């Protein structure tokens, strides 16, 4: 019995032991094989999905805010309606579990307490582990239902606008800008249609606050080919304050941004591009002898015979043979 106890303690104390979640799962059916193939690493990543969770003490404001953000993010989002008693800045295991379960690399966690009222935690994952987390406090909130205007259809790709020097000067605001772009960018499209530019998300950093506004683009008649553009607020509207942050180290952040070699464009020899996208090519040629260069023949440049030179006898023309 003592030997058995010693073996069990050795198994638990040896570092680097593989847990049950990290074991290689071999598929037993074709369906499970297809499911595991979808989760394998790919050269071109899938569209990033987001999960929205609420804590055990979330109030009505936080719940409605999560629903409105879910309406903007659909269909690339999962909204959990049950409460989850967890604290992201102290323990991230539950978030990592839900991320692996729902195949989501982005998340928003809403909570409310006396110390931090109306709290939203935005974050993203790398290899199913928390990479960045930024905590925002909601000071002012206007819901989608409070603004009685027409809304954009589901799945509309928004145009993102960032205003304010803080997004370029502060490291926390710079990471927040990158996180918001990652969250709301939507799918990558090969071309843009003018009528499809319907939704605008505007973020302004001013006096220590972040103002988020959502507008619908209206194309009006202008009397010419180019339409007149008007913006109509459709909600939701947020006034955020920056609270706690949990940012990845520079090495881990650089590793998360690394691209495989197959996706990197191959450098073509003697071809370059300028800042405007104009392509320039360089051609290497041997040294030319300009004395042998064939030029255009002009009658005025021909050499004439001198007057004293004897004229050559003209040869008789031969009759054409039929």
């Amino acid at each position: 019995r003592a030997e058995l106890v010693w073996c069990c303690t050795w198994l638990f104390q040896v570092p680097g032991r593989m847990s049950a979640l990290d074991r290689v799962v071999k598929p037993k059916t074709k369906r499970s094989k297809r499911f595991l193939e979808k989760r394998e690493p790919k050269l071109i990543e899938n569209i990033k999905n987001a999960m929205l969770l609420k804590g055990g003490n979330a109030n009505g404001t936080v719940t409605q805010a999560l629903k409105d953000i879910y309406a903007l993010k659909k269909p690339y989002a999962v909204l959990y309606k049950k409460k989850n008693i967890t604290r992201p800045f102290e323990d991230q295991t539950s978030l990592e579990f839900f991320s692996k379960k729902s195949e989501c690399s982005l998340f928003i966690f809403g909570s409310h307490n006396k110390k931090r009222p109306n709290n939203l935690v935005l974050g993203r994952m790398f290899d199913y582990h928390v990479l960045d987390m930024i905590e925002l406090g909601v000071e002012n909130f206007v819901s989608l239902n409070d603004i009685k205007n027409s809304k954009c259809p589901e799945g509309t790709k928004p145009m993102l606008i960032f205003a304010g020097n803080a997004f370029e000067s502060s490291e926390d605001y710079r990471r927040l800008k990158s996180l918001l772009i990652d969250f709301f960018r939507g799918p990558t499209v090969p071309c843009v249609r003018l009528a499809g530019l319907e939704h605008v998300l505007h973020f302004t950093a001013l006096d220590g606050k972040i103002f988020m506004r959502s507008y619908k683009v209206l194309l009006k008649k202008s009397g010419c080919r180019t339409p007149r553009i008007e913006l109509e607020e459709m909600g939701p509207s947020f006034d955020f304050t920056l609270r706690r942050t949990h940012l990845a180290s520079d090495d881990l952040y650089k590793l998360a941004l690394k691209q495989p070699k197959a996706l990197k464009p191959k450098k073509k020899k003697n071809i370059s591009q300028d800042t405007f996208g104009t392509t320039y090519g360089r051609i290497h040629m041997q040294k030319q002898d300009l004395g042998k260069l064939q030029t255009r023949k002009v009658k005025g440049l021909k050499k004439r015979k001198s007057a004293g030179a004897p004229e050559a006898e003209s040869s008789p023309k031969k009759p054409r043979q039929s």
Side-chain angles (χ1 to χ4, degrees), residues 26 146 161 251 254 266 292 298:
K26 293 184 179 180
D146 296 337
I161 301 174
D251 296 337
K254 187 177 180 180
K266 294 183 179 179
K292 298 180 181 179
V298 184

Side-chain angles (χ1 to χ4, degrees), residues 7 41 50 52 110 118 160 174 179-180 188 203 217 231 259 285:
C7 290
L52 294 89
N118 301 330
L160 304 178
R174 196 181 297 116
L179 182 57
L180 291 172
T188 304
F203 300 92
V217 179
L231 297 180
Q259 289 185 346
M285 299 179 64

Side-chain angles (χ1 to χ4, degrees), residues 53-303:
L53 309 96
K54 59 182 178 180
N57 50 359
N59 58 357
T61 303
V62 172
T63 304
Q64 187 61 40
L66 292 175
K67 288 181 180 179
D68 289 357
I69 296 175
Y70 172 69
L72 297 180
K73 185 66 178 173
K74 280 195 302 186
Y76 310 109
V78 178
L79 178 64
Y80 288 95
K81 297 182 179 180
K82 291 184 179 180
K83 295 183 178 181
N84 300 276
I85 302 174
T86 182
R87 295 177 180 178
F89 281 88
E90 298 175 8
D91 184 19
Q92 295 107 21
T93 54
S94 59
L95 291 176
E96 293 170 358
F97 170 76
F98 282 116
S99 172
K100 199 165 188 177
K101 181 182 177 182
S102 57
E103 195 68 19
C104 295
S105 57
L106 303 167
F107 68 89
I108 292 184
F109 180 81
S111 61
H112 173 78
N113 53 44
K114 187 177 180 181
K115 189 176 181 180
R116 297 182 183 90
N118 301 330
N119 204 43
L120 292 179
V121 179
L122 280 78
R124 53 187 166 186
M125 302 283 184
F126 173 64
D127 197 16
Y128 300 112
H129 296 286
V130 174
L131 181 69
D132 288 333
M133 279 194 305
I134 297 179
E135 190 177 58
L136 300 174
V138 181
E139 289 193 349
N140 188 19
F141 169 62
V142 180
S143 175
L144 272 167
N145 301 327
D146 296 337
I147 302 177
K148 306 298 181 182
N149 288 331
S150 58
K151 314 299 180 184
C152 291
E154 179 183 324
T156 303
K157 184 178 173 69
M159 296 176 284
L160 304 178
I161 301 174
F162 291 88
N165 296 327
F167 285 121
E168 303 297 333
S169 59
S170 174
E171 180 64 24
D172 292 344
Y173 279 85
R174 196 181 297 116
R175 287 287 182 92
L176 176 61
K177 177 183 176 180
S178 173
L179 182 57
L180 291 172
I181 292 174
D182 221 6
F183 196 89
F184 290 107
R185 67 184 303 175
T188 304
V189 293
C191 56
V192 179
R193 185 171 59 96
L194 181 61
L197 303 176
E198 300 180 69
H199 189 200
V200 175
L201 285 176
H202 193 279
F203 300 92
T204 306
L206 183 66
D207 298 334
K209 294 183 180 181
I210 301 102
F211 303 95
M212 174 183 167
R213 300 293 183 267
S214 178
Y215 301 98
K216 183 179 180 182
V217 179
L218 302 178
L219 302 178
K220 300 292 186 70
K221 292 182 179 180
S222 61
C224 58
R225 189 175 181 181
T226 306
R228 182 169 55 89
I229 298 174
E230 291 185 2
L231 297 180
E232 183 181 52
E233 188 172 0
M234 71 171 195
S237 172
F238 292 95
D239 292 352
F240 294 120
T241 55
L242 190 63
R243 290 177 180 170
R244 294 180 294 176
T245 58
H246 173 80
L247 304 180
S249 61
D250 294 338
D251 296 337
L252 182 59
Y253 190 71
K254 187 177 180 180
L255 181 63
L257 295 176
K258 189 176 180 180
Q259 289 185 346
K261 291 183 178 179
L263 287 180
K264 293 181 180 179
K266 294 183 179 179
K267 189 176 181 181
K268 295 183 180 180
K269 206 171 181 180
N270 301 324
I271 294 177
S272 60
Q273 286 186 346
D274 59 2
T275 55
F276 300 102
T278 307
T279 305
Y280 296 96
R282 180 179 294 178
I283 301 174
H284 297 274
M285 299 179 64
Q286 296 179 355
K287 189 176 180 181
Q288 292 181 337
D289 186 5
L290 300 180
K292 298 180 181 179
L293 187 65
Q294 181 67 35
T295 58
R296 185 180 178 186
K297 296 180 180 180
V298 184
K299 289 184 178 181
L301 298 178
K302 285 185 177 180
K303 292 182 179 181

Side-chain angles (χ1 to χ4, degrees), residues 11-12 14-25 100 129:
L11 285 172
F12 282 107
V14 170
R17 276 283 169 185
M18 189 178 295
S19 63
L21 293 175
D22 296 332
R23 291 174 187 167
V24 177
V25 181
K100 199 165 188 177
H129 296 286

